Amino acid sequence: MRMMKFPKRYLIVILTFICTSVCYIERVGFSIAYTFAADGAGVNQSSKGKILSAFYYGYACSQVPGGWVAQRIGGRKVLLLSFLLWSMTCALVPPNPNLVLTLVVARLLVGVAQGFIFPSIHTVLAQWVPPHERSRSVSLTTSGMYLGAAAGMLFLPSLVKYQGPQSVFLAEAALGAMWSLLWFTYATDPPRSEHPKATAAGFGESLLPIKGGQKFKVENGGNTVRTSTKIPWKRILISLPVWAIVVNNFTFHYALYVLMNWLPTYFELGLKLSLQEMGSSKMMPYLNMFIFSNIGGMLADHFVTKRILSLTNTRKFLNTVGFIVASLALMAIPVFRTSNGAVLCSSVALGFLALGRAGFAVNHMDIAPRYAGIVMGVSNTAGTLAGIIGVDLSGKLLEAARAIDSDLSSAESWKMVFFIPGFLCIFSSVVFLLFATGERIFD
């Protein structure tokens, strides 16, 4: 009987949390497994950057289409198909770093498949979660990324060392298949009961796709009328609040992807540390993200429900605090030349970036609950471009630094790798302060 009283929306949030965890186990896992194989084959840093960034090209291409498809046929179905596609592709990835074309195509396919996931998640959460629970629900869901990354950093280096790179790919595919079974079994669309409060608040069945390109809307008097589902593309693309989200999404993912893909290399080459010998400390940056992401979500909902701050000021406050502290920590990483110092700085940087997600990352559903997946697709395209640019640029910067420091062990070799995302954090926090809003601007 107690299980029957467990709200279905909580189960949906938990499943999306597991979803993002598995996705980031895959991303961290490929970086670790490929780096292990590439270093053994003598692949240079620039070439490694190209392979590592291939995922983001596919990911960028499918963000907006992912939001559009989720809007048309429902995020639940799209999420399942996307997971099955990347899991099957991952199972077939060869561990040989000399098969460059094969690796590039495989990473592009995984990127395309995973590109549909986050717009679909935002569409599902906009349908299921009422506004006063959105900050902590989205924060919990996205914190799965960081817990997954932490778990990957903790367990996968040993798996690679003792079982080889292929074992990582197969383990990731198995996790993807298991999640797909859970989602297929337990996930549903919200019921189509015509509930005036849900419709007025901008969630529930009012956001579900309806055949024939139309949907029902419940007015104050309780009558239902047909409304068009035409997507306001022009208004979305010229909206300053949308661009405030886009800029911050770009910066967040630039910093995240640079650290996710190059922090293992920094530990091994910059600090001469073995990932296997670092033990659990190497997972601390991502574990900190998990903790701070949920703190940010709870603080945001507390500020709003207790009317301590308006929704707009809540988003701006958390976004600004998160990004400014993160900028200082990012620029301090190459200054500290010990493992504890590097772990501390990267943990603070990623933790406060995660806190900042309670500002910009939930803002999609504030300003456009009906088009949350599409706005998420637009902003996440920018975030994906950040991965392409940041990961590849960092590889080129390190390759250029070899002319002065052949083994990349000096702080100067890594300075620009971490200073660029630090400066971007300052710039994007100013943009969000100037142009963001918590008001609903798309009906």
Side-chain angles (χ1 to χ4, degrees):
M1 292 297 293
R2 288 180 180 178
M3 287 298 293
M4 290 176 65
K5 294 179 181 179
F6 187 76
K8 187 60 178 283
R9 67 181 183 277
Y10 293 171
L11 177 60
I12 296 295
V13 171
I14 290 170
L15 287 173
T16 57
F17 164 80
I18 298 172
C19 167
T20 60
S21 297
V22 174
C23 285
Y24 269 68
I25 288 174
E26 188 281 326
R27 297 190 201 184
V28 170
F30 180 82
S31 177
I32 292 171
Y34 172 72
T35 298
F36 180 88
D39 287 346
V43 177
N44 64 44
Q45 302 305 311
S46 181
S47 297
K48 283 169 63 178
K50 287 183 173 62
I51 296 295
L52 290 172
S53 63
F55 168 91
Y56 303 107
Y57 286 94
Y59 197 63
C61 292
S62 57
Q63 290 293 315
V64 175
W68 181 82
V69 173
Q71 174 77 16
R72 301 299 296 177
I73 70 172
R76 179 178 60 85
K77 297 175 184 176
V78 176
L79 203 50
L80 177 62
L81 293 174
S82 301
F83 235 82
L84 289 172
L85 176 58
W86 79 252
S87 298
M88 289 188 294
T89 305
C90 196
L92 301 175
V93 172
N96 188 348
N98 296 314
L99 299 175
V100 176
L101 181 60
T102 304
L103 281 173
V104 168
V105 172
R107 294 309 292 165
L108 283 172
L109 285 174
V110 173
V112 168
Q114 289 201 16
F116 282 79
I117 288 173
F118 283 91
S120 298
I121 285 175
H122 273 67
T123 300
V124 169
L125 293 181
Q127 292 168 355
W128 272 102
V129 180
H132 66 278
E133 294 180 1
R134 280 177 181 162
S135 293
R136 59 180 178 269
S137 296
V138 173
S139 294
L140 178 62
T141 294
T142 55
S143 72
M145 301 187 299
Y146 321 132
L147 190 64
M153 288 294 288
L154 179 62
F155 297 113
L156 296 183
S158 297
L159 185 61
V160 171
K161 182 179 180 180
Y162 295 111
Q163 299 295 328
Q166 186 69 54
S167 64
V168 174
F169 302 151
L170 293 176
E172 292 165 354
L175 287 173
M178 287 187 285
W179 182 89
S180 299
L181 181 60
L182 285 174
W183 186 254
F184 178 78
T185 304
Y186 295 109
T188 62
D189 290 329
R192 288 190 182 275
S193 59
E194 295 180 350
H195 196 300
K197 289 184 179 179
T199 304
F203 77 102
E205 75 288 338
S206 64
L207 302 181
L208 285 171
I210 291 208
K211 294 180 180 180
Q214 292 181 318
K215 62 177 67 177
F216 292 104
K217 181 178 180 181
V218 182
E219 303 291 357
N220 292 335
N223 297 320
T224 60
V225 295
R226 288 184 181 270
T227 60
S228 173
T229 60
K230 185 177 181 181
I231 300 167
W233 288 107
K234 183 178 179 180
R235 288 182 58 211
I236 289 172
L237 295 176
I238 66 174
S239 168
L240 289 178
V242 169
W243 277 100
I245 298 171
V246 168
V247 170
N248 281 265
N249 206 335
F250 179 94
T251 295
F252 174 86
H253 285 96
Y254 188 104
L256 176 62
Y257 290 148
V258 165
L259 289 177
M260 182 181 294
N261 286 279
W262 290 107
L263 199 58
T265 304
Y266 177 68
F267 285 138
E268 294 193 335
L269 298 183
L271 300 179
K272 304 299 181 184
L273 299 169
S274 168
L275 286 177
Q276 287 81 16
E277 294 172 0
M278 287 179 66
S280 60
S281 64
K282 60 182 175 287
M283 67 177 278
M284 288 307 298
Y286 303 109
L287 184 60
N288 216 38
M289 290 190 88
F290 169 75
I291 295 169
F292 273 74
S293 177
N294 287 291
I295 289 174
M298 289 186 288
L299 282 175
D301 282 345
H302 177 73
F303 290 158
V304 172
T305 55
K306 298 298 182 181
R307 299 186 178 180
I308 297 171
L309 292 172
S310 68
L311 185 56
T312 296
N313 288 336
T314 295
R315 299 288 182 238
K316 289 184 177 182
F317 173 73
L318 290 170
N319 197 85
T320 302
V321 170
F323 275 57
I324 294 299
V325 175
S327 71
L328 299 175
L330 282 164
M331 291 186 281
I333 289 176
V335 175
F336 292 88
R337 302 299 296 160
T338 64
S339 61
N340 289 337
V343 169
L344 174 64
C345 290
S346 56
S347 296
V348 171
L350 290 177
F352 275 85
L353 278 171
L355 183 78
R357 284 187 69 91
F360 80 90
V362 193
N363 206 210
H364 308 85
M365 289 188 282
D366 296 330
I367 65 173
R370 181 166 294 163
Y371 308 109
I374 291 171
V375 177
M376 179 61 183
V378 171
S379 71
N380 228 27
T381 298
T384 309
L385 291 175
I388 296 170
I389 295 169
V391 174
D392 194 35
L393 176 60
S394 296
K396 287 181 169 61
L397 289 171
L398 291 172
E399 198 61 33
R402 280 190 181 277
I404 301 172
D405 177 26
S406 60
D407 62 356
L408 299 177
S409 61
S410 70
E412 195 65 28
S413 300
W414 291 87
K415 185 176 179 180
M416 289 307 296
V417 171
F418 299 116
F419 270 44
I420 291 174
F423 286 128
L424 285 173
C425 283
I426 297 172
F427 170 74
S428 60
S429 65
V430 173
V431 171
F432 200 79
L433 277 173
L434 292 175
F435 302 117
T437 181
E439 302 298 322
R440 183 173 179 176
I441 60 176
F442 296 99
D443 292 326

